[in-house]
Amino acid sequence: MSTDSVKFYQVGSFAIGNRLLPAAAGSVQSDMERTNALTSGHRACQGCGEALGARYAIDAAMRAADDKVIAVNATGCLEVFSTPYPESSWRIAWLHSLFGNAPAVATGVAAALRAKGRSDIRVIGQGGDGATVDIGFGPLSGMFERNDDVLYICYDNEAYMNTGVQRSGATPAAARTATTQAVGPEPGNVFGQGKNVPRIAMAHEIPYVATATVADLRDLEAKVTRAMEFRGSRYLHILVPCPLGWGSQSCDTVKIARLATQSGLFPVFEAERGEVVSSTPIRQKVQVEEYLKLQSRYSHLFSPKRRDDVIDKLQAAADRNIERYNLMPEGDL
Amino acid sequence: MEQPFAITLKVESSLANHTGSWRVERPQYVNLMPPCNNACPAGENVQKWLYTAEDGSYEEAWRALIVENPFPAIMGRVCYHPCQTVCSRGQLDEAVGINSVERFLGDLAIEKGWSIPVTAPSTGFKVLIIGAGPTGLSAAYHLRRLGHAVTIRDAADLAGGMMRFGIPKYRLPRNILNAEIARIEDMGVRFQMNRKVDNVQDAIDDGFDAVFLAVGAQIGKRAYIPAGEAARILDAVNVLHDVADGEAPLLGRKVVVYGGGNTAIDVARTAKRLGADEAMIVYRRTREKAPANDTEIQEAIEEGVLMKWLSTVKHADAGVLKIEKMALDEKGFPQPTGEFEELEADSLVLALGQEVDLSLINNLADVEVRDGVVHVDTNMMTGRAGIFAGGDMVPAERTVTTGVGHGKKAARNIDAWLRKEKFEKEPIPKVVEYADLNPWYFSDAPHAVRPRLEGARRASNFDEVVQGLDESTALYEARRCMSCGNCFECDNCFGVCPDNAVIKLGPGKGFEFNLDYCKGCGICVTECPSGSIIMIPEKS
Amino acid sequence: MLKQVEGSRAVAEAVAACRPEVICAYPISPQTHIVEGLSRIVKEGALGNCEFINVESEFAAMSVAIGASATGARTYTATASQGLLYMVEAVYNASGLGLPIVMTVANRAIGAPINIWNDHSDSMSQRDSGWIQIFAETNQEAADLHVQAFRIAEELSLPVMVCMDGFILTHASERVDIPEQEQVDLFLKPYVPRQVLDPANPVSIGAMVGPEAFTEVRYMTHMKTLSALELIPQVAKDFEEIFHRDSGGLIREYHCEGAETVVIALGSVLGTIKDVIDDQREKGVSIGALGIISYRPFPFDAVRKALIHAKRVVIVEKALAVGIGGIVAQDIRRALSGLSIAQYTVIAGLGGRPITKASLDDLFDLAVVDDIRALTFLDLDQELVDAEMKREAGQS
């Protein structure tokens, strides 16, 4: 009788935790002593992907940095719902300055720490897609060019959510927002060439760039941990669904993020110094429609009549990602 | 250091904001009925003992198992595992090998000599059980655990019923059978073997407070088959019984078995082991319609048993049978075609069903019989108060597992009746459906196939056909369980709550919702792999 | 140490002596020599534990300064004109958060039209931003004020803008007594922040404050800024004790006592004004000069006290509130409210136009006999503007 000795842990690496795993191999989120950098009482909407992503990322960073982290936050949902006077739901050292300057402020924090000989304290700059892709883009590029020792995290919910769901440079094609409404011959956001900040970060040849979503915690934590192994500028782009802005059910946040990756629309990969070094293969491929139909920001593609012309274009974009990042390697499941 | 007013805030000052007030519905941890538990005729808490076994706590798992079923090693060999048929994992990749793990635990218990102490205080009640087959033994076991004094009477010299005299050794080795029966005897059950009970009333007068009838269906049904004087026709049940007794009958070189049930298959496979060159099943209908378990049919075929479907025996003579071919009509029923053929056969074994020997209740007018089986109410009691019945002698699916389940149910009802209470079965929670689960989280892991002896090699001896799993594969198999409807502490809810509103109580202690902060978003429900969380409306 | 040195260099060395920990700046004329000087000092290793960041814009410069200051580092930056405007969002943010950043504004005109030469329009545009604004009259004072600025900023937890006239001071070579390291160390203690980003004692800085508390926050900043009116003279006094010279303070009077006419101005033009005052006084004119050093907070009481016996004041302003007139004039008017003192505003030196002794002399001759309008533009080419306005009117 042949036996394969493989340690099998029932839910493997897809779930947050596993009672059969030794504690040292567990995720940060499964640990009862996790930092809970963003704790209860904040005013995020029910099912907010950004609140989840922020806690995931910062808790992982805190563990990697021995609890020595300072975070700089741009204006946006995360900042607004977490620090309305008199309540702050942060448990770490945290600074909010302006909308467009989080990367620069983070640079300043890192410089001060270096001047004081405290480079053991690690710096995170974070903001939404608006703060990163649009208004903060100049400072972001400056930070990258100087290779300042900051991990910058973009929580991408694909629009200016806090001000009422207006289009940003990260809004995907065909999506409805308050400034790209679902009316006229081309409803929703235009089909442009997009603004791929992970690739722009790679063009700056900074030590580490990665994408992740809230649907795969272990992957996200691994990437934060890996990022913290580097010094210099690092960029992490996390897809965080927004039930309000995307028009999805609050209970579907993690599921929708998963469908984004499994359809190929949001590729999950890592790059070092400008070269892709790994990508997370698609485990259960779906057509983009499975992802689109859960969000009413795409409902105009299905009713009053189906817009297969648009859906096909979106599918083509997903397929291009699959090829470009080798998301379905030959011979894999 | 004087911090500026309002611009700078203390950490976690948001805890003053109880966002739980936003909710319109709230999550709740539930324990639902896993489909395996629901399908088990013996009512085993399969999910629970698999869960316990997953971290290597085998004795604890075994003890959880035997709360319901005292025969895991036997089950692991003869049960047709309806649990596996409905196992949710089967809709993902392949069903969990529950039966294999049960066998592993049962064999380990025998190897380690784990025993079952009786801790319940003696009740003072005496119960007589007539029939030492699976049903009677199970009833004895459960009654004994409840503290009653139990006596079993059986006509045979050894206990086991059909497990010994119907199921061949290569399916159920005798050392296993003996060990699991001995364990029941060690609990203090009195066995009175070679005591056929002809009259239940007499037995009652011996001083028993209640009686459980479990004599089974031991009489082979006789169909009228025109036969010549020298035709050699035997009854399947008797053949198996004789083989078990060590007195194998002479069946000749070519044996035909007439019938499509498990008994027929057992006889055919036994015939091969006895040295027949050819053993053939002749059955009126098709393989799909044959009542025999399909795995048994498959194993038989692998051993070289021939199958002749859609055929009936019209006439038996010495050395030859006349067979009529059947054909299915539009409605799928077999109809005679008028086409005949001859078949060489040294013996014809009839396996056409079994009947109950009802002689022992002849004097009990209030014990009702319908269609050849004893009628009992939902509490397994006959028309006569204090006389209960179960197993093959009442309407039932005739399997060992069903019998074990009857024994347990009867024991609980007898116990209640003796204490002048009514046995209330706990209400069954909702049975988990596949759509309730989130299968994404389960690692891809096909069934660890239980190895089998090569077909031809198998046929020549009575060695156990199906080998068991070793520890690593048993563990692997147990861990494939998706724990339907019952939390298995994967930490998903603890991790996916954007509001940090799930409290992890600690390993083994589960989780709690922090209703001060839970906004009722429902992500925990969607991402719970086992479907153990539901949303209920918030009370207004 | 006495040196013949460009104003920018003097400032760079003075700032370096203050032991800054983070310097971040974006180059813009006429501030460039200051940051070039500092970058060299840092790169040479002469300034231990100091990080010099070459930022990609002025907005980034102030933002980097905010991050550094919030982390407890003594932080410095410099800009002018367009650069100041580009960082305005961050300028307000720094004062709102109470971060003691010191910034040099090398005063320069604001475009359009683009103009790199000196006037005060840049600093004036930020007079309501909540920053302390102090104006240097000479290169010596420019160097000294930076040393005082760090002290003022860190004691108040408010940012300080040190204004010095672009090119006129920044690019002029003069004899300056550069503050010595030992003296500065006596005068300026290490920075102890009121609030700081520290993982060992975490706080959340930069909350959103709604209607229920915003007014109170502003009020307290207002009161804090007013308290600078006491602090600034005290700091100047402490400075004099260690450095043995008069630098800084709220105002500087030059023959104000008993003067019928007082000329008021900010910055380097006071030098020229004082020369003309001397000439006028030799001719027997009752005239003096008042320099405003601390423009924000505005020293209303000190100004009123200095001018209470004057008959008239002439405010020479290097900035224009378009459509209104003088800017400092409005503050002076409030300082002198209720007193019958004639006020004449003279807009001079816009876009770097030289303010000559001759022009001032002519101006004062007319002013002392009240023969000028309430608002005049010094050396305006009236012919040109008449012709141009006629031409534009003809075209419409």
Side-chain angles (χ1 to χ4, degrees), chain C residues 103-392:
Chain C
M103 170 163 70
T104 311
V105 176
N107 294 118
R108 166 181 147 177
I110 294 178
I114 181 168
N115 173 300
I116 64 167
W117 292 276
N118 165 257
D119 70 28
H120 289 167
S121 48
D122 50 11
S123 293
M124 287 300 152
S125 76
Q126 297 311 303
R127 64 192 186 273
D128 295 333
S129 65
W131 282 58
I132 308 281
Q133 290 183 316
I134 49 184
F135 280 78
E137 187 186 320
T138 60
N139 278 344
Q140 179 69 64
E141 189 161 48
D144 293 341
L145 282 182
H146 282 86
V147 177
Q148 293 186 32
F150 281 107
R151 173 110 164 243
I152 296 165
E154 288 168 16
E155 278 196 34
L156 282 180
S157 291
L158 276 181
V160 176
M161 208 179 281
V162 180
C163 306
M164 64 190 290
D165 288 319
F167 287 114
I168 298 174
L169 292 182
T170 56
H171 286 63
S173 226
E174 283 185 357
R175 213 170 60 152
V176 175
D177 191 352
I178 308 288
E180 309 268 357
Q181 188 65 69
E182 301 77 39
Q183 293 172 304
V184 176
D185 287 342
L186 273 177
F187 178 75
L188 197 58
K189 295 290 170 268
Y191 170 36
V192 177
R194 175 178 65 156
Q195 60 174 342
V196 75
L197 293 169
D198 178 7
N201 278 302
V203 285
S204 306
I205 302 177
M208 179 164 86
V209 178
E212 72 282 357
F214 191 88
T215 306
E216 283 66 29
V217 174
R218 278 287 174 266
Y219 178 82
M220 292 200 286
T221 310
H222 173 73
M223 297 308 286
K224 190 153 65 134
T225 309
L226 288 176
S227 75
L229 291 170
E230 282 179 27
L231 181 65
I232 289 173
Q234 184 61 49
V235 168
K237 189 156 165 289
D238 291 347
F239 186 87
E240 183 167 11
E241 270 170 31
I242 294 174
F243 293 84
H244 310 300
R245 55 180 176 268
D246 168 36
S247 251
L250 295 175
I251 55 174
R252 184 165 295 125
E253 297 174 68
Y254 189 74
H255 296 295
C256 282
E257 191 143 337
E260 257 186 31
T261 307
V262 180
V263 180
I264 306 172
L266 279 61
S268 63
V269 71
L270 280 164
T272 316
I273 289 172
K274 283 191 230 175
D275 281 353
V276 177
I277 296 291
D278 287 342
D279 291 345
Q280 292 262 332
R281 286 181 73 83
E282 252 172 64
K283 288 187 315 199
V285 180
S286 175
I287 187 168
L290 177 66
I292 313 276
I293 303 164
S294 165
Y295 180 62
R296 283 291 183 265
F298 192 84
F300 292 106
D301 291 348
V303 167
R304 188 185 181 90
K305 189 151 165 277
L307 299 174
I308 199 154
H309 299 298
K311 272 181 77 174
R312 67 184 69 77
V313 294
V314 179
I315 307 144
V316 177
E317 296 217 41
K318 278 186 173 178
L320 171 67
V322 175
I324 309 283
I327 296 172
V328 179
Q330 297 166 47
D331 296 315
I332 300 293
R333 188 175 304 284
R334 179 181 140 179
L336 303 180
S337 72
L339 303 170
S340 11
I341 300 177
Q343 242 185 266
Y344 302 105
T345 304
V346 179
I347 307 295
L350 291 186
R353 175 165 296 176
I355 302 173
T356 62
K357 281 177 65 172
S359 298
L360 284 178
D361 202 54
D362 292 342
L363 175 76
F364 294 165
D365 285 343
L366 295 172
V368 299
V369 294
D370 298 301
D371 191 13
I372 56 171
R373 308 235 287 274
L375 177 69
T376 51
F377 286 74
L378 191 68
D379 296 339
L380 181 69
D381 187 341
Q382 193 68 55
E383 237 183 78
L384 187 144
V385 298
D386 286 345
E388 278 302 312
M389 278 161 66
K390 201 162 155 195
R391 185 179 65 78
E392 284 181 24

Side-chain angles (χ1 to χ4, degrees), chain B residues 1-12, chain C residues 96-97 193-195 202-204 206-207 217 220:
Chain B
M1 176 166 59
E2 301 292 326
Q3 275 159 33
F5 166 71
I7 297 160
T8 301
L9 304 174
K10 283 194 174 48
V11 291
E12 67 182 2
Chain C
L97 293 177
R194 175 178 65 156
Q195 60 174 342
V203 285
S204 306
V217 174
M220 292 200 286

Side-chain angles (χ1 to χ4, degrees), chain A residues 64-65 68 110 113-114 117-123 146-151 205-208 225-234 273:
Chain A
K68 288 182 277 185
L113 291 171
R114 211 161 44 243
R118 288 305 307 272
S119 292
D120 56 317
I121 300 176
R122 310 299 299 277
V123 183
R146 288 187 300 270
N147 202 27
D148 293 322
D149 191 10
V150 172
L151 166 59
E205 308 225 342
I206 55 176
Y208 184 76
T225 308
R226 178 83 181 120
M228 297 299 271
E229 287 171 12
F230 292 94
R231 290 279 175 175
S233 293
R234 295 139 286 138
R273 300 204 187 277

